[in-house]
Amino acid sequence: MEKVIYRIKRFDGTKEWYQEYEFPYEKGKTILWGLIKIKEEIDPSLCFTSACRSAICGSCGVRVNGNAVLACKTSLDKMLETYKTNKLILEPLNNFKVIRDLVVDWEQKFERMKEVKPWLIPSKNSDKTKGFKQSEKQFNMIANPTDCILCGCCISECGQLSINREGFLEPFIFSKSYRFTVESRDEAPGEHLEPALENGLWKCIRCMQCVTKCPKGVRPAEHINGLRKESMKMGHRDNKGARHAYAFHDDIQKTGRLNEMTLPIKTEGLVSTMGRIPFALRLLKKGKIKPFNMPKPVNGIEQVRTIYRLAQNQKEER
Ligand code: FES
């Protein structure tokens, strides 16, 4: 391969267009190398952000062929090989306001992040002269979310955020919330958790894009699950998400299968479910639901119940 082409989405503050740049291929380079080459040798007007070139500062997140990557950590060879082409499409991260070309606006994201108070709230009585010790186990609880470098890759590809930008926090904010909710030295876990609960904690659709796209191996989807568990432990059980989880739990324990007839009532309550009657009637007409067929216990239900018992015993031992 002699030439590489970057087709870059440009934005000058008013209009958008795609512009192609061609430059000689060099082995062993990164996506960021190509951007810097264009800016230094072809078009100084091209805008993008980068600083450390070591996958630490998080400023070089971009989309390559529709997937968010950290430009300084992503091998150009690997991208060309993956897409079997010498032309790559580079765009700004999705789910952000674009300022110019590949530069996105973090202002609003940082404002939302502050809602979960991503800082330690130590006990007022703690003796600061003695430090704040943690056991290895306690540290391991926060090790993964602590690796977040605020690159925005999880935001860009989040399925829920793409359709619900206002009612759902950015995945990395849930990770920040979790990091301080389970922090052993923190005095006020509810102050980190409750804003997450009020801003879509139960709305994650488990597309797992935040996990697969994170260049640092942070697992926001796992932290969302952790926060849900913590919220239930704190007594936040009277919301749709928690009720839905309990309905699953109870049905499976009872019969080994879901009762689709009672699930909406248990989750949303009788009054809200009434609004779904026309839809239920259509399902009934098509034979999709059978209201009088109550699920019978599956074969091997005793084994299912044993799993429940073991899980419950483990929980109590912890
Ligand atoms: Fe700092 Fe890529 S330039 S993470």
Side-chain angles (χ1 to χ4, degrees):
M1 185 187 313
E2 292 195 342
K3 300 272 182 202
V4 178
I5 301 165
Y6 277 11
R7 181 175 163 79
I8 301 180
K9 188 172 187 184
R10 311 261 340 241
F11 177 62
D12 64 3
T14 48
K15 65 177 187 312
E16 292 176 354
W17 74 101
Y18 282 88
Q19 191 161 347
E20 291 193 0
Y21 299 97
E22 196 177 288
F23 51 92
Y25 166 77
E26 282 185 43
K27 195 172 165 42
K29 300 297 185 186
T30 63
I31 293 289
L32 182 60
W33 168 82
L35 285 171
I36 293 172
K37 192 165 184 66
I38 294 168
K39 183 151 181 95
E40 288 183 348
E41 299 176 15
I42 307 173
D43 183 356
S45 76
L46 178 67
C47 288
F48 56 90
T49 48
S50 71
C52 71
R53 298 172 77 175
S54 308
I56 294 170
C57 74
S59 63
C60 66
V62 286
R63 286 186 113 201
V64 177
N65 285 16
N67 285 295
V69 299
L70 209 51
C72 72
K73 193 177 182 240
T74 305
S75 154
L76 178 58
D77 290 329
K78 200 171 164 206
M79 287 285 111
L80 299 173
E81 169 59 24
T82 302
Y83 295 108
K84 310 253 177 287
T85 177
N86 72 334
K87 188 196 275 192
L88 297 172
I89 300 169
L90 274 74
E91 293 165 319
L93 293 176
N94 205 14
N95 295 326
F96 276 91
K97 180 176 160 220
V98 179
I99 296 174
R100 194 178 173 113
D101 297 340
L102 303 175
V103 181
V104 294
D105 187 358
W106 273 88
E107 195 79 32
Q108 195 209 8
K109 312 293 179 194
F110 287 141
E111 281 310 310
R112 278 164 67 107
M113 181 173 74
K114 287 183 202 159
E115 288 176 31
V116 302
K117 300 191 179 165
W119 50 79
L120 194 69
I121 306 175
S123 158
K124 293 199 177 50
N125 307 322
S126 51
D127 182 352
K128 295 182 184 65
T129 59
K130 288 194 176 145
F132 296 88
K133 286 189 186 155
Q134 274 192 311
S135 68
E136 196 177 335
K137 194 173 164 203
Q138 288 167 335
F139 171 73
N140 286 340
M141 293 285 289
I142 60 165
N144 182 263
T146 306
D147 283 343
C148 172
I149 57 169
L150 306 178
C151 67
C153 291
C154 63
I155 301 172
S156 176
E157 306 311 315
C158 169
Q160 177 61 278
L161 217 45
S162 298
I163 50 167
N164 182 14
R165 213 179 276 191
E166 298 308 317
F168 189 66
L169 286 178
E170 286 68 7
F172 83 96
I173 303 181
F174 287 113
S175 288
K176 298 280 174 207
S177 163
Y178 178 77
R179 184 244 177 277
F180 289 97
T181 298
V182 299
E183 161 67 66
S184 60
R185 301 163 294 183
D186 196 281
E187 166 94 328
E191 291 192 35
H192 309 294
L193 184 141
E194 275 148 26
L197 186 62
E198 285 154 20
N199 286 281
L201 180 61
W202 288 94
K203 289 187 182 158
C204 167
I205 54 172
R206 296 184 203 89
C207 65
M208 303 306 278
Q209 290 286 338
C210 56
V211 176
T212 54
K213 294 299 181 306
C214 177
K216 302 298 281 186
V218 178
R219 303 185 293 273
E222 205 175 276
H223 307 143
I224 288 173
N225 271 342
L227 281 171
R228 288 173 176 177
K229 274 192 221 158
E230 293 300 317
S231 74
M232 290 198 275
K233 275 194 227 160
M234 284 182 199
H236 297 290
R237 293 166 187 219
D238 195 19
N239 57 67
K240 261 193 222 176
R243 287 197 298 268
H244 195 64
Y246 278 114
F248 263 70
H249 175 279
D250 295 346
D251 279 359
I252 303 297
Q253 187 175 32
K254 212 160 143 196
T255 63
R257 63 176 106 222
L258 266 184
N259 185 340
E260 305 271 2
M261 287 305 297
T262 54
L263 188 64
I265 301 171
K266 286 182 185 169
T267 303
E268 300 191 13
L270 190 60
V271 178
S272 297
T273 309
M274 300 287 266
R276 293 177 186 266
I277 285 179
F279 178 59
L281 288 175
R282 286 203 300 279
L283 290 177
L284 196 64
K285 205 166 147 198
K286 300 270 179 197
K288 301 273 185 196
I289 51 172
K290 297 189 173 71
F292 303 111
N293 273 8
M294 287 295 133
K296 296 197 177 70
V298 294
N299 288 339
I301 184 64
E302 267 319 311
Q303 284 155 309
V304 175
R305 289 176 189 154
T306 305
I307 294 171
Y308 269 77
R309 269 196 301 279
L310 291 173
Q312 185 63 34
N313 291 347
Q314 252 191 10
K315 208 167 92 187
E316 279 159 17
E317 275 167 26
R318 262 189 245 139

